[in-house]
Amino acid sequence: MEYLHRRIVELKSDAVKPTTLPSFVCDSCLEDPVTSCDEEMLIEGREWAWDKTVTTAATLLSKQNREVRFHPGYSSGTAAVRGDAAFLHGRIYYWEIKMLTALYGTDVMVGIGTKNAKLDKFAYQFCSLLGSDKESWGFSYTGKLQHNGKSHFYGPPFGKGSVVGIYLDMWKGTLEFFVNRRPLGVAFKNLQGLQLYPMVCSTAAQSAMRIIVAVSQPVDLKLLSLRLLSTDNEIMQTLIRVPGIRRYLISMWWILSGELRNICGNMQSPEFENESTKYQVLSASNTTVWPVIIS
């Protein structure tokens, strides 16, 4: 920590060019954050898709199982899908789902659930499925939260064109939602120790949504340090001037605090809205792998 503060003081001087950083990127990436690192590789920012093994006639998957269309013909109840991989303990997850069609009817929801959640329980009944019992947690297009059959208002409604973000911290056991990258606050707590999956459901005929990003990071010393530093505006104003760190902060905007979260989230919005975002993995010896937005 003493070394970090010394480097911050040096960075404040225009005469000092940063050459090494106790930070989130390797030294060579400071010169060219896009192409310098020998071990870099390009990956899509989508770590999972919808599970095709649990679909029904009321759910149609496409685009490598990242897009789902509910009730392709007509609707006679509630349909749902879940992700093809469970979330791991000791990691944080963030994913965004874009609403491709108008939302209407009884309910359209995003959220999480355990493997015991019965996705076909209400195939012939219109209901708010996610959160209808203790096995799932849901956020409705009407702005309500629901768990264990109890619901209450939480945030603004969303509809066609909206991007709904979900931030799950498997270390702290918290779940938070975003609408168009605006944080709505912690929605649910005490989720530690559960085997959870991403889920969505809909009662609306021909409604569709698509995963546009799904990323995760381990909870380690670097992540905890970033969380702590992000509460100090003076330090962050200095760090964000460094190109490699700035790209990292923009790509990880959802774990930041206060106004910096909004600023970095807004800086990233055009890439996500165009759905052309790529993630660059920068790694070096003894360095954790981090995703960085390529502009």
Side-chain angles (χ1 to χ4, degrees):
M1 184 62 70
E2 180 181 351
Y3 175 68
L4 177 59
H5 282 289
R6 186 170 68 252
R7 290 297 298 134
I8 290 173
V9 172
E10 292 174 351
L11 285 171
K12 289 182 178 179
S13 171
D14 293 335
V16 177
K17 179 181 179 181
T19 55
T20 59
L21 287 173
S23 60
F24 318 105
V25 291
C26 59
D27 295 341
S28 61
C29 294
L30 289 175
E31 298 178 3
D32 187 349
V34 174
T35 61
S36 293
C37 197
D38 292 336
E39 297 180 75
E40 73 188 26
M41 59 181 292
L42 294 179
I43 63 171
E44 292 288 342
R46 304 178 182 92
E47 296 182 354
W48 50 266
W50 300 121
D51 191 345
K52 63 181 180 181
T53 66
V54 295
T55 57
T56 66
T59 53
L60 178 63
L61 300 183
S62 61
K63 299 189 182 300
Q64 298 180 315
N65 299 331
R66 307 196 189 281
E67 182 172 315
V68 57
R69 182 170 295 273
F70 294 101
H71 314 288
Y74 62 92
S75 177
S76 58
T78 308
V81 292
R82 78 175 183 212
D84 58 9
F87 297 123
L88 302 177
H89 302 298
R91 296 184 72 88
I92 58 172
Y93 292 85
Y94 180 77
W95 64 102
E96 290 188 329
I97 299 176
K98 185 171 185 177
M99 303 298 150
L100 304 178
T101 60
L103 307 182
Y104 63 93
T106 302
D107 221 338
V108 179
M109 308 181 76
V110 301
I112 59 173
T114 71
K115 197 171 185 177
N116 296 325
K118 303 297 183 182
L119 302 184
D120 58 352
K121 182 178 180 180
F122 298 105
Y124 299 101
Q125 182 178 341
F126 298 101
C127 73
S128 300
L129 175 60
L130 297 184
S132 60
D133 58 23
K134 65 179 182 180
E135 301 296 338
S136 60
W137 296 255
F139 177 36
S140 167
Y141 82 111
T142 63
K144 290 184 178 181
L145 291 177
Q146 181 172 254
H147 173 61
N148 204 18
K150 299 179 180 179
S151 64
H152 60 87
F153 282 102
Y154 165 70
F158 55 88
K160 181 179 180 180
S162 296
V163 174
V164 181
I166 303 97
Y167 172 24
L168 175 64
D169 189 325
M170 291 292 287
W171 186 59
K172 295 170 61 178
T174 58
L175 181 67
E176 180 178 2
F177 294 96
F178 299 72
V179 172
N180 297 326
R181 298 175 196 91
R182 293 296 180 183
L184 304 181
V186 173
F188 299 107
K189 299 180 180 180
N190 303 317
L191 301 174
Q192 300 97 325
L194 299 175
Q195 187 179 45
L196 300 170
Y197 295 80
M199 295 181 178
V200 291
C201 71
S202 176
T203 62
Q206 301 183 31
S207 55
M209 56 188 76
R210 180 188 303 140
I211 304 166
I212 59 174
V213 65
V215 294
S216 70
Q217 291 293 327
V219 177
D220 55 15
L221 182 58
K222 289 185 177 181
L223 183 66
L224 295 176
S225 297
L226 176 60
R227 279 179 169 172
L228 179 61
L229 289 173
S230 70
T231 62
D232 190 314
N233 289 333
E234 183 178 358
I235 291 177
M236 296 309 295
Q237 287 175 9
T238 301
L239 292 179
I240 204 169
R241 293 166 54 191
V242 182
I245 295 180
R246 181 169 62 249
R247 285 173 171 80
Y248 170 67
L249 292 176
I250 293 173
S251 69
M252 297 291 288
W253 64 273
W254 37 279
I255 69 170
L256 302 177
S257 301
E259 187 61 25
L260 185 64
R261 172 189 265 188
N262 294 331
I263 293 173
C264 291
N266 289 336
M267 291 173 70
Q268 192 189 54
S269 294
E271 286 86 354
F272 276 100
E273 289 172 358
N274 294 330
E275 298 186 28
S276 61
T277 301
K278 300 286 185 180
Y279 282 78
Q280 180 184 22
V281 176
L282 303 177
S283 62
S285 58
N286 300 321
T287 302
T288 303
V289 176
W290 301 102
V292 178
I293 292 294
I294 299 176
S295 56

